[in-house]
Amino acid sequence: MKCSLFLYNESDSNKARRLMSYFQGRLGRISEVRNIKNILVRDQDFQEELSESECVVLVGTPQALSLIQNKQQEKHADYITFDGKVMHEEFAENKELVKNRLLIVHFTGRTENYWIPEGFDEKQIFHVEDGKVPPDGTPTLTHLEYRMKKILLGDDFMY
């Protein structure tokens, strides 16, 4: 089964988990929706999972983007729960990931310091109002779901 990987740091996890849960329900038949903790529990290599996931959704909060831009890690106990260093390296080196498989979601307005990977199409940035996911979705969530399905299913996708 294909994989959609949601990347978010721990301090922003409540909103991000709601969003991830929404897409688990919407994409469950075509993609396994995972996050960093799922990778840790399975004792898998994060960098490998990041580079091989068919669709990567980065929840681009100011804290998460700062961690990536500054190549820093967020830890809980002995576990790295958000590895900005690995993400920065992967986004810098894996142009196919950045161009074809990465989507960025943010919950607040963008500032001029808003970091995005080089070569990233800004049309792939989605603003979800304050992380709220209404039961019926919104035009933004519908468009994000469309983009995720297009990435996951490629030429087989018909909406």
Side-chain angles (χ1 to χ4, degrees):
M1 180 175 273
K2 297 185 184 230
C3 175
S4 296
L5 180 61
F6 274 70
L7 304 173
Y8 54 87
N9 63 312
E10 196 60 33
S11 62
D12 301 312
S13 64
N14 288 337
K15 295 174 188 176
R17 276 196 299 263
R18 281 195 304 266
L19 185 66
M20 184 178 144
S21 178
Y22 174 80
F23 284 107
Q24 280 175 322
R26 304 291 298 173
L27 302 172
R29 286 179 271 153
I30 61 172
S31 175
E32 181 180 358
V33 179
R34 292 190 270 172
N35 61 15
I36 296 171
K37 284 188 178 181
N38 300 134
I39 293 169
L40 289 173
V41 166
R42 295 175 181 177
D43 203 26
Q44 295 170 314
D45 180 76
F46 172 66
Q47 186 165 8
E48 186 176 314
E49 291 296 314
L50 176 58
S51 68
E52 293 179 3
S53 293
E54 284 82 7
C55 182
V56 176
V57 178
L58 171 62
V59 178
T61 60
Q63 168 96 17
L65 296 176
S66 174
L67 289 168
I68 296 170
Q69 186 174 15
N70 296 314
K71 303 175 191 173
Q72 296 174 330
Q73 299 171 329
E74 184 177 75
K75 295 181 179 184
H76 183 332
D78 291 337
Y79 298 100
I80 297 171
T81 57
F82 191 87
D83 198 335
K85 182 180 181 209
V86 167
M87 289 180 215
H88 190 279
E89 289 171 4
E90 195 64 35
F91 295 152
E93 295 172 12
N94 191 339
K95 298 302 178 194
E96 192 273 333
L97 167 65
V98 170
K99 186 173 177 166
N100 300 319
R101 297 184 282 137
L102 178 64
L103 302 168
I104 298 177
V105 173
H106 62 93
F107 300 136
T108 60
R110 290 179 59 190
T111 66
E112 62 183 61
N113 295 335
Y114 191 91
W115 177 87
I116 59 170
E118 187 176 320
F120 182 74
D121 183 356
E122 292 195 33
K123 293 177 187 171
Q124 301 294 92
I125 298 175
F126 298 86
H127 177 222
V128 176
E129 187 69 32
D130 197 31
K132 295 178 181 165
V133 181
D136 296 332
T138 64
T140 301
L141 289 177
T142 301
H143 186 217
L144 178 55
E145 179 182 347
Y146 169 82
R147 294 300 310 151
M148 290 177 76
K149 286 181 176 176
K150 188 98 171 117
I151 290 169
L152 291 164
L153 299 173
D155 294 336
D156 296 333
F157 177 62
M158 293 184 63
Y159 203 62

